Amino acid sequence: MNRALRLIRRRAISSIPVLLIVVVLTFLLLESASGDAVDAYLLSIGGGDATVAQALRQAYGLDQSMFARLWLYASSLARLDLGWSVAFGRPVLDLILERLPNTLFLMGSATVLSFGLGSALGIVAGAKPESLADRTLSTVSLVLYAIPSFWLGLVLSIIFAVQLRWLPTSGIETIASGRTGLDRAGDIATHLVLPVGTLALIYMALFLRVMRAGMTEAWTLDFVLFARSKGLSRTRIVLRHVARNALLPLVTMLGLQSAAMLGGSVVIESIFAIPGFGRLAQEAVSGRDAPLLMGIIVVSAVLVICVNLVIDIIYAALDPRVGASEPGP
């Protein structure tokens, strides 16, 4: 427990400058883009004179200098105030909290499915290197990893939703269905089969290859040779020695791919019209809503940091050497 607390404290302290760098760089990049949310709003209503534009910029603080607005945003962020969305006319935090659960559910389901299937198939492939099962699974994983997620999503949608009509094509649930309880949960699960399956297949291929490579390397280690010399069965060696040792790089890869999976959910949500975090980012970009886009990026950075913190704790539980040399409180 003390080792885990020291690890959490060190990661929390190191995440503060990371967030500051993300905020500053994102703000400067958005400032370098042409136009702003007022221009997009006036364009959507058919235009407006310079007086209206100036009044709107004063109302949203867009008439101040860049460094003044950066300081005001950083001060507001310290109070957990992400600002006001110009395009939606609502607080940014409310919009994010409204859409974020859908994305977290999509990412969580895809992560559990891809990690479980990828590690299990990786064990099957790495149990007997260069066997028929190993070569078949390696080829399939390579093909899946090379397929773009948007193409795979469109193909699965055409097959299972358009031609076979087994699954819905879009949305998170049936609109105005009036369903509650388990009936609504089943409706949501049906709508998430295609997007979760699409996202999970891509990352399952990556986890499979990492697990298979780790097991192939573990077969040559001394402790495996010692276990084989003791006459242990191959199944026991695979499950208790080889697979457990190969699981460590897979857990590390899970943390590294959290940001990539969050970015992949943007594409998946656009294909299947899921009202989530990714769709909100797309709407913020199209509306040139800098405060909303800043809030999305900041929350995304916090999510990635939290996921990697959980991965570090899991890794420390699997490997007692992690964090053991850190000084105590």
Side-chain angles (χ1 to χ4, degrees):
M1 179 61 70
N2 291 333
R3 186 162 55 93
L5 292 176
R6 291 196 300 267
L7 187 63
I8 293 173
R9 185 181 67 239
R10 191 181 72 171
R11 294 292 189 270
I13 294 174
S14 62
S15 65
I16 296 177
V18 173
L19 284 176
L20 291 176
I21 293 174
V22 169
V23 170
V24 173
L25 290 181
T26 304
F27 189 89
L28 295 178
L29 287 175
L30 292 178
E31 284 295 319
S32 64
S34 60
D36 55 20
V38 173
D39 294 330
Y41 173 74
L42 293 177
L43 183 63
S44 65
I45 64 175
D49 56 21
T51 305
V52 175
Q54 182 64 23
L56 289 174
R57 288 192 173 90
Q58 289 179 356
Y60 291 109
L62 299 176
D63 59 330
Q64 302 182 28
S65 66
M66 179 181 66
F67 293 103
R69 282 185 282 120
L70 176 59
W71 173 253
L72 289 176
Y73 185 81
S75 302
S76 300
L77 190 62
R79 302 191 301 269
L80 300 181
D81 181 9
L82 299 180
W84 188 270
S85 171
V86 181
F88 289 88
R90 295 176 55 190
V92 172
L93 186 59
D94 291 349
L95 290 170
I96 291 177
L97 293 179
E98 188 178 277
R99 302 284 191 95
L100 187 58
N102 293 336
T103 298
L104 292 180
F105 191 66
L106 173 63
M107 285 182 56
S109 302
T111 300
V112 171
L113 185 60
S114 61
F115 187 83
L117 288 177
S119 58
L121 293 178
I123 291 175
V124 174
K128 293 184 178 180
E130 301 303 326
S131 63
L132 178 61
D134 178 27
R135 294 183 180 183
T136 302
L137 291 174
S138 298
T139 303
V140 172
S141 65
L142 182 61
V143 172
L144 286 175
Y145 188 68
I147 294 177
S149 59
F150 71 90
W151 185 87
L152 181 60
L154 290 174
V155 170
L156 293 179
S157 181
I158 291 173
I159 295 175
F160 293 101
V162 178
Q163 295 182 351
L164 298 177
R165 299 182 182 274
W166 290 353
L167 299 168
T169 57
S170 60
I172 191 70
E173 61 180 318
T174 303
I175 300 176
S177 63
R179 299 179 179 180
T180 58
L182 294 177
D183 192 19
R184 185 188 179 195
D187 182 53
I188 294 176
T190 304
H191 280 77
L192 286 178
V193 169
L194 286 178
V196 169
T198 302
L199 197 59
L201 283 175
I202 300 297
Y203 291 97
M204 181 205 70
L206 176 63
F207 293 142
L208 189 156
R209 295 186 66 82
V210 172
M211 188 69 181
R212 186 260 178 195
M215 291 192 63
T216 302
E217 182 181 356
W219 277 112
T220 61
L221 298 179
D222 293 339
F223 71 91
V224 176
L225 298 177
F226 177 73
R228 296 176 66 180
S229 66
K230 289 174 60 178
L232 298 180
S233 64
R234 189 178 186 88
T235 302
R236 185 174 181 181
I237 294 175
V238 168
L239 296 179
R240 298 196 59 180
H241 299 281
V242 180
R244 184 176 181 179
N245 187 79
L247 191 63
L248 295 176
L250 193 66
V251 172
T252 303
M253 182 61 65
L254 180 62
L256 295 175
Q257 291 299 316
S258 59
M261 185 168 289
L262 182 60
S265 66
V266 176
V267 179
I268 299 301
E269 289 174 7
S270 300
I271 294 174
F272 295 100
I274 297 176
F277 210 48
R279 284 288 301 278
L280 186 63
Q282 182 184 9
E283 294 167 359
V285 172
S286 60
R288 301 178 187 176
D289 195 342
L292 179 56
L293 193 57
M294 280 287 300
I296 291 172
I297 294 175
V298 170
V299 172
S300 300
V302 172
L303 285 177
V304 172
I305 290 173
C306 292
V307 169
N308 280 275
L309 176 60
V310 173
I311 296 301
D312 287 339
I313 295 174
I314 296 175
Y315 198 98
L318 294 175
D319 190 349
R321 297 170 297 178
V322 177
S325 60
E326 297 182 10

